[in-house]
Amino acid sequence: MTLDALPPFPTLTEGQDPRYADVDLWPVASVLDALVESQMSAIAAVRAAVPRMEQAVTAALPRLMAGGRLFYVGAGTSGRIGMQDGVELLPTFGWEPERLILLLAGGNDAVYQAAEGAEDRDDVARAEILAHDPCANDVVLGIAASGSTPYTCAAIGAARTAGSLTIGIACNPSCQLLNMAEVGIPVVTGMEVISGSTRLKAGTAQKATLNLISTTLMIRMGHAYRGQMVDMRVVNDKLRRRACRMVRSLTGCTEQQAMATLQAANFNVKRAVMLCWGIPADQIETLLSTHDDNLRGVFAQLHPSGASGD
C-alpha cells in the first residue's frame, strides 16, 4: 500500500451548497435552524454506517480482549475529536492508560492551535506510530473527514503492514483512508452549511461514530453492567456518591454496606458489588479472570437459575 495522489477537489465535504450562499444575510433564527438541520443529517449518516461499525467492533473485540492497545490517529479537528473520545475512556470505563495511544499531527501543541503543515507529514506519521511497535492485537482508529489526510493515511498504512487491525472513519464515500484501512467506515455527511468547515456536521458524525464504537467495545469487555459504569474511576466526592448509589442499585444493600464494600474494594464498583454478593475478597480476581472481567458471567455462576442480580 502506498499513498496515492490527493483526490481532486472539491470532495463532498469541501463542496458548496447553493442553499447557503446568502446565509450571512439570514436572520439569526434561520441560521440556527439550518445548523440544527445539518446536525440531524449527520446523525442520520451515522445510523446508516452501523453495519460497518458492527464489523469493526466484532473484529476489534478479540484483539482487545487479548490485551491489545487502542490507538486514535488524526489531524486537526478529526484528531482532536479522536483524542477526546480516547481520553474519556480512562475515567468512564477504567481503561488502562498504557493501553491507549493518541497520535495527533503536530503533537500535543496542536490540541490548542493549528499545526501548519503537520497533516501533510506522512513520514512523521509512520515514524510516530512505529515508535509504539504496533502489533497484531492492537486496534488503530484513523479519523479524517476528507479521508485523504496524508498523516492519517500513512499511519494507518504502517499499522496495517505491522499486522494491527486498522479502522478508517471518513465522511467521503470513496477515499484513500477507507481503501487503506482493513475496515472502512464511510459516514457520508456531504456539504457543510459553511463550505469546508468540517468541524460542523462532519465533526459531529465523527464524534458520534467514535462514541458508538468505543462504548460498544467497553460494554462488550465487561466495563458496564446493567447499564452502569462499574469500572469508572472514583476520584472525587461526587463520584464516591455515584459509586455508592450504583452499588446499592445493583445489590439492594444499604448505604452503609455500600460504602463499606467500596472502601474494601478501593472504590471499584465492580468488586464492591461482588463483595455485597458474598464473594470472599480472595476469590474475586480469580472469578473475574475466569469470566473475562464480566459481572454477568460471575453472577450466572453464582445463580445458575438465571436470576437478574438485583
Side-chain angles (χ1 to χ4, degrees):
M1 290 175 292
T2 59
L3 292 180
D4 301 322
L6 292 177
F9 287 95
T11 60
L12 278 178
T13 54
E14 296 286 336
Q16 184 167 12
D17 191 327
R19 291 180 298 168
Y20 306 117
D22 295 321
V23 69
D24 54 306
L25 301 177
W26 292 4
V28 168
S30 298
V31 174
L32 292 170
D33 280 342
L35 291 169
V36 169
E37 179 187 3
S38 75
Q39 296 292 298
M40 294 172 67
S41 71
I43 298 304
V46 173
R47 179 64 183 85
V50 163
R52 290 289 185 91
M53 286 187 253
E54 180 184 11
Q55 182 184 350
V57 169
T58 301
L61 266 173
R63 297 173 187 247
L64 296 178
M65 293 292 286
R69 296 169 295 176
L70 194 55
F71 288 65
Y72 288 77
V73 182
T77 297
S78 298
R80 288 186 284 272
I81 288 171
M83 291 185 80
Q84 180 187 2
D85 191 78
V87 165
E88 289 175 349
L89 299 181
L90 305 179
T92 305
F93 297 109
W95 188 252
E96 302 94 327
E98 62 273 13
R99 296 180 65 193
L100 177 67
I101 309 296
L102 305 173
L103 297 180
L104 175 65
N108 289 337
D109 288 345
V111 173
Y112 305 102
Q113 59 185 6
E116 299 298 336
E119 70 174 48
D120 298 328
R121 295 297 303 273
D122 52 1
D123 56 332
V124 172
R126 280 188 287 268
E128 289 183 346
I129 198 162
L130 291 176
H132 293 281
D133 295 320
C135 64
N137 283 333
D138 292 333
V139 176
V140 183
L141 293 159
I143 313 106
S146 67
S148 61
T149 306
Y151 180 92
T152 309
C153 291
I156 285 293
R160 186 170 184 182
T161 299
S164 301
L165 173 66
T166 52
I167 300 168
I169 300 169
C171 296
N172 284 312
S174 299
C175 60
Q176 189 175 18
L177 179 61
L178 299 184
N179 292 332
M180 294 185 77
E182 186 173 339
V183 180
I185 303 176
V187 189
V188 184
T189 52
M191 296 175 283
E192 301 280 0
V193 173
I194 303 299
S195 177
S197 183
T198 51
R199 59 178 286 275
L200 298 174
K201 63 179 175 178
T204 295
Q206 289 173 93
K207 179 64 177 88
T209 300
L210 289 171
N211 216 336
L212 267 61
I213 291 171
S214 61
T215 303
T216 304
L217 284 169
M218 295 300 112
I219 291 171
R220 286 298 191 184
M221 293 182 72
H223 296 298
Y225 174 67
R226 296 179 64 81
Q228 307 228 37
M229 302 179 293
V230 291
D231 278 326
M232 75 172 185
R233 292 188 178 171
V234 179
V235 295
N236 56 39
D237 287 339
K238 179 188 75 172
L239 294 179
R240 278 190 282 273
R241 291 192 295 271
R242 180 184 296 173
C244 184
R245 290 195 300 271
M246 289 168 61
V247 173
R248 295 187 65 189
S249 170
L250 292 170
T251 67
C253 72
T254 66
E255 181 176 352
Q256 292 75 17
Q257 290 170 325
M259 287 304 300
T261 54
L262 280 166
Q263 289 169 351
N266 197 26
F267 277 89
N268 179 267
V269 173
K270 178 183 287 181
R271 287 159 178 82
V273 166
M274 293 176 71
L275 289 172
C276 281
W277 285 346
I279 298 172
D282 60 359
Q283 296 180 21
I284 285 177
E285 299 309 318
T286 299
L287 274 171
L288 286 174
S289 178
T290 300
H291 296 285
D292 294 323
D293 282 336
N294 196 310
L295 279 180
R296 288 278 180 186
V298 173
F299 190 84
Q301 179 177 325
L302 297 175
H303 302 276
S305 61
S308 65
D310 54 6

